[in-house]
């Protein structure tokens, strides 16, 4: 019975008739001609490299494994230049619209006045920050760094699964995966023209510098703000600070005096202009938000509202990556840009709507149901893979608070060849490209983080739930262009 | 640089240095305790090991009797002893991880690699508390190698800026404290020239002191004669060419504090205090030291040294 429900999925290397898709030809040849002992040795080497570099992540609620490696798969995931070009145009469009949406809802609220999205979805949203209403942020940019999760279900069929515009993580894996692959399989790189991703930190630095408060006449001082080394993404925070060449600060390293932010240094205090913060809004400033936050900076919000420091991303962006707002993205793109959305949304039932709720309740076994504000794969139900008991428990949760949930069909996510000691097998993947916005426009580094669900048939790719990662190669062909810029 | 970064670098260095010292003390004690009683064994070797490691109080709070296996466990893998080797390496790594960006990849790998290795040792019978002497000596070698790796990678790869200077300060303040402690615990076997107590029976005690600060061979090179207690004191306190002597530590401390002051354009209490201690050491002679009493001299030094640690904290690390 289980088999019957398994959808037929698109494999990115091998078509149903056994033909290899052109972009994968050399990889297929390599896999066919490489003894599995070689792959196995490379796999072990990769793990050793990651462990020694210290690329680990913490899993919440797992006290024995406070630091675990995200499994890395040594078979790269390939997209051709033409495929990427379409995705890139769509990503730029989407992030532009997200920024315009945020500037609007914290400004004139035209979209609400026009009745294009329900006002209560914004005002009643726990991620909406009334403090930000009327606040002008430099260049009207709220989202400087976005991670847009894409899935593929067919040759030309990509969907946006979710937008991450608070503190998206994973970019360090994109960069380190590439470094490790270049060390382990130099021959493969020689055979392919792989678009480089290594300039991401430079692009990020340029974006951050471009959004410094306008009254800063000197070279802006930038710092990364981390919750500290017990945070699951701490490695990434330190990695980025290092690559950017800026200080990695914890809340206790910063202080606010007369609405100006300073860091504590061995030579006294030093003014900070831009904070790439990896702390959620709630914990940013105990005086403005959660009073029990010990990782925040008291007074930071006042300094921010006074325009003395730029926060990237801005405060209150969470209202735009909410799973309920997500369903309105086509309307949002149309409203601000007057264009149809290039990247499709996954059809979604909003359980706040009675008809949709009734449908979802009756079809739990077929759907993926997510909490509107959940992330990391927690609090979601994958209907086809859940037991009857799990479904019943979930149904009760859903009934108590339908507006808190959305549901989507179980997508037949594409698969990519993945290495296991027992052989090479297809596994489901998604893709998170990273989109940067600065005063000179929106830029995407060609690639992203491919996450792979290592468990057979699993569709959950989150690293906190046993997912792994792959290096993502955009193969330059004749159709390939330079990374695009749009202002 | 961030004050916290400087603090982490300073303590990272101290913990690595402390782990190294502990390994040497255990190694030296192990040798001494296996000698026949007629030679040197007094039965209190492990007690002095606890004393020189500053762990005696913690041990006595938990155990009534001094037993070799327990002491070794307490000094190596115990999680209850804040200064066990295991905890030193863990704190070193926690500090390193907090300042990942201030370290070179090589230095980070030395510390992180040591932690991974330590986790493997923890799974052996030694790690589980049984006194396996062979495993122990492999373990102690590993700890000593860790400090060499840390020191070597830092020396070879780090930029010569405040990050490096604060690291070096950590090493030398910890090292001065360690050398002083072992002298203090063993001062009763180090007697002035004109007193003849214990005689040659103390020879193995003296050798063990030198071994703990890896100075046994150095002694012979410097003095070219058999072990004499006042010369051991001279070597460990006043000989600049001996890298673990108090004066050599302070020579370095003054140097690195001056580098920091030069870069920051400001001298402070830490520089003044360090130079004062250095001046005292420069003027001192063994004769004088034995005259006022080795114990008194060392006690005053330990206090001065820990005062310097505090002064550095106040001046730079707690801004």
């Amino acid at each position: 019975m289980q088999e019957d429900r398994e959808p037929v999925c698109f494999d990115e290397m091998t078509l149903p008739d056994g033909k290899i898709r052109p972009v994968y030809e050399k990889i297929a040849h390599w896999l066919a001609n490489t003894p599995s002992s070689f792959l196995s040795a490379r796999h072990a080497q990769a793990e050793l490299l990651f462990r020694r570099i210290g690329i680990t992540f913490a899993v919440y609620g797992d006290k024995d494994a406070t630091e675990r490696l995200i499994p890395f798969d040594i078979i790269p995931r390939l997209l051709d230049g033409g495929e990427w070009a379409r995705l890139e145009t769509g990503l730029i469009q989407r992030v532009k619209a997200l920024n315009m949406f945020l500037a609007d809802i914290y400004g004139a609220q035209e979209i609400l006045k026009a009745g294009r999205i329900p006002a209560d979805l914004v005002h009643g949203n726990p991620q909406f920050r009334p403090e930000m209403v009327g606040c002008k942020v430099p260049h009207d940019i709220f989202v400087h760094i976005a991670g847009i999760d894409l899935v593929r279900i067919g040759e030309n069929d990509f969907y946006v699964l979710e937008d991450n515009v608070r503190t998206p993580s994973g970019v360090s894996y994109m960069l380190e995966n590439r470094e490790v692959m270049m060390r382990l399989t130099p021959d493969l790189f020689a055979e392919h023209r792989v678009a480089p991703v290594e300039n991401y930190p430079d692009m990020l630095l340029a974006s951050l510098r471009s959004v410094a408060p306008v009254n800063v006449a000197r070279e802006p001082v930038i710092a990364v703000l981390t919750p500290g080394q017990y945070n699951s993404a701490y490695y990434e925070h330190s990695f980025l600070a290092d690559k950017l060449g800026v200080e990695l600060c914890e809340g206790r390293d910063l202080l606010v005096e007369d609405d100006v932010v300073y860091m504590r240094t061995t030579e006294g205090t030093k003014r900070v202009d831009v904070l790439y913060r990896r702390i959620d809004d709630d914990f940013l400033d105990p005086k403005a938000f959660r009073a029990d936050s010990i990782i925040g900076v008291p007074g930071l919000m006042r300094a921010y509202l006074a325009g003395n420091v730029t926060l990237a991303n801005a405060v209150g962006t969470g209202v735009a990556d909410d799973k309920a707002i997500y369903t309105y993205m086509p309307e949002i793109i149309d409203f601000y840009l007057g264009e149809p959305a290039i990247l499709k949304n996954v059809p979604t039932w909003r359980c706040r709507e009675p008809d949709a709720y009734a449908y979802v309740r009756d079809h739990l076994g077929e759907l993926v149901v997510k909490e509107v504000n959940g992330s990391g794969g927690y609090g979601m139900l994958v209907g086809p893979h859940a037991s009857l008991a799990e479904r019943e428990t979930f149904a009760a949760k859903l009934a108590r608070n339908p507006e808190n949930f959305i549901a989507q069909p179980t997508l037949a996510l594409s698969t990519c060849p993945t290495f296991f000691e027992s052989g090479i097998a297809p596994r489901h993947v998604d893709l998170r490209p990273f989109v940067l916005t600065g005063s000179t426009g929106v830029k995407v580094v060609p690639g992203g983080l491919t996450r792979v669900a290592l468990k057979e048939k699993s569709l959950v790719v989150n690293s906190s739930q046993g997912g792994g990662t792959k290096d993502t190669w955009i193969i330059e062909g004749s159709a390939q262009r330079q990374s695009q810029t749009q202002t | 640089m961030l004050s916290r970064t400087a603090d982490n670098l300073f303590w990272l260095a101290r913990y690595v240095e402390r782990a190294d010292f502990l390994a040497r003390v255990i190694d030296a004690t192990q040798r001494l305790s296996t000698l026949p009683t007629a030679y040197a064994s007094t039965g209190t070797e492990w007690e002095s090991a606890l004393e020189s490691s500053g762990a005696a109080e913690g041990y006595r709070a938990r155990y009534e009797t001094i037993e070799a296996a327990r002491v070794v466990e307490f000094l190596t893998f115990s999680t209850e002893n804040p200064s066990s080797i295991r905890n030193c390496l863990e704190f070193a790594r926690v500090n390193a991880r907090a300042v990942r960006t201030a370290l070179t990849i090589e230095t980070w790998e030395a510390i992180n690699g040591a932690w991974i290795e330590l986790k493997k040792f923890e799974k052996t019978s030694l790690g589980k508390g049984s006194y396996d002497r062979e495993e122990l000596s492999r373990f102690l070698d590993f700890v000593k190698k860790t400090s060499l790796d840390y020191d070597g990678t830092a020396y070879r790869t780090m930029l010569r800026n405040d990050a490096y200077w604060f690291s070096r300060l950590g090493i030398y303040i910890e090292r001065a404290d360690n050398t002083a402690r072992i002298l203090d615990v063993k001062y009763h076997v180090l007697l002035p020239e004109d007193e003849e107590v214990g005689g040659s029976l103390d020879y193995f005690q003296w050798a063990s002191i030198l071994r703990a600060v890896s100075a046994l061979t150095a002694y012979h090179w410097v003095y070219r004669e058999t072990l004499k207690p006042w010369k051991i004191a001279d070597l460990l306190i006043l000989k600049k060419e001996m890298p673990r002597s108090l004066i050599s530590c302070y020579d370095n401390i003054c140097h690195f504090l001056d580098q920091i002051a030069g870069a920051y354009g400001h001298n402070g209490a830490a520089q003044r205090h360090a130079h004062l201690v250095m001046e005292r050491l420069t003027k001192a002679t063994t004769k004088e030291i034995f005259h006022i009493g080795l114990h008194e001299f060392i006690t005053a030094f330990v206090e001065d040294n820990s005062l310097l640690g505090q002064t550095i904290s106040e001046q730079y690390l707690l801004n």
Side-chain angles (χ1 to χ4, degrees):
Chain A
M1 287 306 286
Q2 184 74 15
E3 286 304 309
D4 292 350
R5 280 211 301 265
E6 275 312 310
V8 184
C9 355
F10 176 75
D11 187 81
E12 298 190 7
M13 182 167 84
T14 315
L15 295 168
D17 60 6
K19 281 210 185 93
I20 301 296
R21 292 179 63 244
V23 70
Y24 266 95
E25 268 165 10
K26 287 171 187 150
I27 292 289
H29 183 258
W30 176 66
L31 290 176
N33 291 287
T34 307
S36 74
S37 60
F38 176 89
L39 291 177
S40 183
R42 287 291 179 273
H43 182 80
Q45 235 177 316
E47 185 165 323
L48 195 70
L49 281 171
F50 281 120
R51 174 95 47 204
R52 286 203 73 97
I53 304 171
I55 309 186
T56 54
F57 75 110
V59 179
Y60 297 119
D62 186 349
K63 85 172 184 314
D64 289 332
T66 49
E67 285 167 39
R68 219 157 57 179
L69 278 183
I70 296 189
F72 172 69
D73 183 58
I74 50 162
I75 305 175
R77 189 250 187 114
L78 274 58
L79 295 168
D80 80 39
E83 287 172 339
W84 173 254
R86 283 192 298 283
L87 292 180
E88 188 187 37
T89 318
L91 290 165
I92 290 171
Q93 178 198 51
R94 196 165 175 107
V95 171
K96 265 181 86 173
L98 281 164
N99 267 310
M100 292 171 85
F101 170 67
L102 284 162
D104 183 30
I105 62 162
Y106 289 119
Q109 302 199 329
E110 301 290 351
I111 198 167
L112 304 185
K113 287 176 193 155
R116 296 290 290 272
I117 61 172
D120 71 297
L121 266 193
V122 171
H123 290 126
N125 192 308
Q127 296 296 322
F128 179 73
R129 301 289 172 190
E131 299 88 339
M132 290 297 291
V133 172
C135 173
K136 277 290 281 175
V137 298
H139 306 282
D140 281 336
I141 301 168
F142 281 73
V143 179
H144 310 82
I145 303 106
I148 310 292
D149 291 349
L150 302 171
V151 295
R152 177 177 212 174
I153 65 171
E155 181 70 52
N156 289 309
D157 235 357
F158 287 88
Y159 288 92
V160 175
L161 201 59
E162 60 185 43
D163 304 294
N164 297 281
V165 298
R166 293 177 229 184
T167 55
S169 62
V171 77
S172 58
Y173 297 99
M174 172 182 88
L175 296 167
E176 292 284 43
N177 286 355
R178 177 62 53 83
E179 289 303 314
V180 166
M181 281 303 281
M182 289 182 89
R183 268 211 244 181
L184 296 182
T185 60
D187 292 346
L188 275 186
F189 279 90
E191 287 172 19
H192 293 84
R193 289 173 157 272
V194 183
V197 293
E198 66 192 38
N199 56 334
Y200 177 85
D202 274 4
M203 288 167 62
L204 174 60
L205 186 63
S207 293
L208 293 172
R209 289 175 64 118
S210 77
V211 295
V214 278
N215 56 3
V216 178
R218 64 200 149 70
E219 182 117 326
V221 175
I222 296 165
V224 174
L225 176 58
T226 173
Q229 65 169 306
Y230 298 104
N231 181 269
S232 63
Y234 177 75
Y235 170 74
E236 174 155 307
H237 307 159
S238 68
F239 173 88
L240 286 173
D242 191 30
K243 295 286 169 192
L244 294 170
V246 305
E247 295 292 355
L248 176 64
C249 295
E250 294 180 16
R252 58 193 161 124
D253 298 321
L254 299 174
L255 74 154
V256 178
E257 253 174 40
D258 298 330
D259 295 345
V260 172
V261 183
Y262 298 93
M263 52 186 170
R264 303 169 201 270
T265 79
T266 48
E267 295 173 85
T269 54
K270 185 174 176 188
R271 185 167 177 165
V272 180
D273 305 303
V274 182
L275 275 176
Y276 175 18
R277 52 96 170 205
R278 298 290 296 259
I279 294 183
D280 290 338
D281 288 357
D282 273 341
F283 296 95
L284 211 45
D285 177 356
K287 284 188 175 165
F289 305 117
R290 280 179 60 161
D292 61 343
S293 170
I294 51 164
I295 56 174
V297 185
L300 179 59
M301 196 59 192
R302 275 189 56 140
Y304 180 53
L305 293 174
N308 290 332
V309 67
T310 301
L311 296 178
N313 289 342
V315 170
T317 54
V319 68
D321 71 4
D322 174 88
K323 290 187 180 70
I325 293 290
Y326 159 87
T327 65
Y328 290 92
M329 275 311 288
E331 282 94 331
I332 289 173
I333 292 170
D334 176 57
F335 184 78
Y336 295 107
L337 299 172
E339 301 165 1
I342 298 167
L343 296 174
K344 288 182 281 190
N345 256 28
V346 181
T348 305
W349 288 271
R350 303 166 183 140
C351 299
R352 69 201 309 270
E353 295 164 9
D355 292 353
Y357 167 62
Y359 180 86
V360 171
R361 189 190 53 206
D362 298 341
H363 296 82
L364 271 186
E366 301 158 23
L367 301 171
V368 177
V369 192
K370 297 173 181 175
E371 271 181 55
V372 172
N373 289 306
S375 72
Y378 292 100
M380 70 188 259
L381 175 85
V382 181
H385 295 169
S387 68
L388 187 63
E390 282 167 339
R391 289 210 298 272
E392 276 170 1
T393 315
F394 202 88
K397 221 163 77 172
L398 178 63
R400 275 197 297 277
N401 210 355
E403 60 274 17
N404 213 12
F405 295 89
I406 53 136
Q408 295 168 335
T410 325
L411 294 181
L413 302 195
S414 60
T415 55
C416 284
T418 303
F419 174 78
F420 295 94
E421 290 298 334
S422 52
I424 293 161
R427 286 294 183 273
H428 296 295
V429 293
D430 78 350
L431 176 65
R432 175 179 289 183
F434 296 90
V435 185
L436 296 172
T437 307
S439 67
T440 59
V442 185
K443 296 183 173 74
V444 196
V445 77
L449 175 65
T450 289
R451 295 186 296 180
V452 50
L454 295 174
K455 272 186 243 159
E456 204 175 352
K457 292 179 187 165
S458 169
L459 293 169
V460 184
V461 294
N462 299 77
S463 47
S464 45
Q465 311 262 307
T469 70
K470 279 171 171 289
D471 192 12
T472 311
W473 294 5
I474 309 302
I475 304 299
E476 301 220 4
S478 49
Q480 184 61 20
R481 303 158 294 120
Q482 286 295 305
S483 100
Q484 198 190 24
T485 304
Q486 193 178 2
T487 48
Chain B
M1 75 191 306
L2 288 180
S3 297
R4 183 175 52 83
T5 305
D7 189 55
N8 288 136
L9 288 167
F10 179 77
W11 283 101
L12 159 61
R14 288 197 72 157
Y15 281 120
V16 173
E17 185 66 22
R18 192 172 297 175
D20 178 86
F21 175 68
L22 288 168
R24 288 173 195 283
V25 166
I26 295 168
D27 203 15
T29 310
Q30 154 112 319
R31 289 180 73 112
L32 197 58
S33 67
T34 51
L35 288 176
T37 326
Y39 286 87
S41 196
T42 58
T44 58
E45 294 79 19
W46 288 108
E47 200 163 2
S48 8
L50 285 169
E51 296 286 354
S52 14
S53 327
E57 218 171 291
Y59 182 93
R60 285 196 205 100
R62 277 170 193 82
Y63 308 108
E64 283 180 6
T65 55
I66 307 278
E67 277 166 48
R70 272 203 190 134
V71 176
V72 168
E73 201 274 334
F74 197 66
L75 294 179
T76 53
F77 288 95
S78 167
T79 48
E80 294 182 342
N81 171 11
S83 279
S84 69
I85 290 175
R86 182 217 172 273
N87 281 345
C88 283
L89 291 182
E90 175 164 23
F91 296 149
R93 182 169 180 274
V94 166
N95 277 292
R97 206 163 172 262
V99 291
R100 194 51 193 77
T101 58
L103 300 175
T104 58
I105 186 100
E106 288 84 358
T107 305
W108 162 253
E109 285 188 0
I111 298 298
N112 194 44
W115 175 248
I116 295 167
E117 200 60 31
L118 179 91
K119 287 271 143 195
K120 287 186 199 150
F121 272 110
E122 258 187 342
K123 293 196 181 99
T124 63
S125 57
L126 177 73
K128 290 175 181 147
S130 95
Y131 186 18
D132 178 334
R133 285 178 181 78
E134 240 177 77
E135 197 76 64
L136 179 64
S137 72
R138 265 200 298 281
F139 175 70
L140 298 177
D141 283 345
F142 146 74
V143 178
K144 286 183 252 175
K145 189 172 170 302
T146 295
S147 71
L148 291 175
D149 285 351
Y150 163 75
D151 225 22
T153 55
Y155 179 73
R156 295 185 69 113
T157 62
M158 280 179 78
L159 282 175
R160 277 3 182 213
N161 58 15
D162 43 3
Y164 182 72
W165 302 328
F166 281 110
S167 302
R168 302 313 289 184
L169 281 179
I171 291 185
Y172 289 113
I173 288 184
E174 181 67 28
R175 188 177 284 182
D177 185 61
N178 292 336
T179 301
R181 272 169 192 280
I182 196 149
L183 284 170
D184 198 26
V185 172
K186 299 277 190 177
Y187 75 94
H188 56 274
V189 295
L190 294 174
L191 295 166
E193 222 164 327
D194 43 8
E195 276 187 55
E196 256 186 73
V197 179
S200 63
L201 280 191
D202 283 339
Y203 178 91
F204 296 97
Q205 290 281 352
W206 303 332
S208 135
I209 299 173
L210 289 172
R211 224 184 277 283
V213 294
S214 64
L216 189 53
T217 316
Y219 178 94
H220 295 289
W221 278 99
V222 173
Y223 301 101
R224 300 190 181 277
E225 63 168 309
T226 101
L227 303 188
K228 302 270 170 52
W230 55 93
K231 290 213 158 123
I232 292 173
D234 182 55
L235 181 67
L236 298 188
I237 299 171
L238 300 177
K239 271 279 175 285
K240 251 193 193 169
E241 52 269 60
M242 167 64 207
R244 280 169 205 270
S245 70
L246 304 185
I247 195 167
S248 166
C249 290
Y250 265 75
D251 198 23
N252 280 294
I253 288 168
C254 288
H255 171 72
F256 291 111
L257 277 172
D258 290 346
Q259 296 274 314
I260 293 169
Y264 294 173
H266 174 74
N267 256 313
Q271 278 82 8
R272 286 192 294 276
H273 183 67
H275 279 282
L276 199 73
V277 176
M278 182 63 186
E279 206 183 297
R280 255 183 250 144
L281 288 168
T282 314
K283 285 185 184 154
T285 61
T286 34
K287 215 179 170 75
E288 260 175 39
I289 291 172
F290 279 112
H291 181 70
I292 60 165
L294 181 58
H295 177 63
E296 287 70 18
F297 178 86
I298 294 296
T299 308
F301 176 86
V302 168
E303 276 166 21
D304 267 335
N305 193 48
S306 88
L307 179 64
L308 179 64
Q310 277 168 37
T311 312
I312 290 174
S313 283
E314 282 156 22
Q315 195 171 326
Y316 296 112
L317 312 181
L318 303 171
N319 272 324

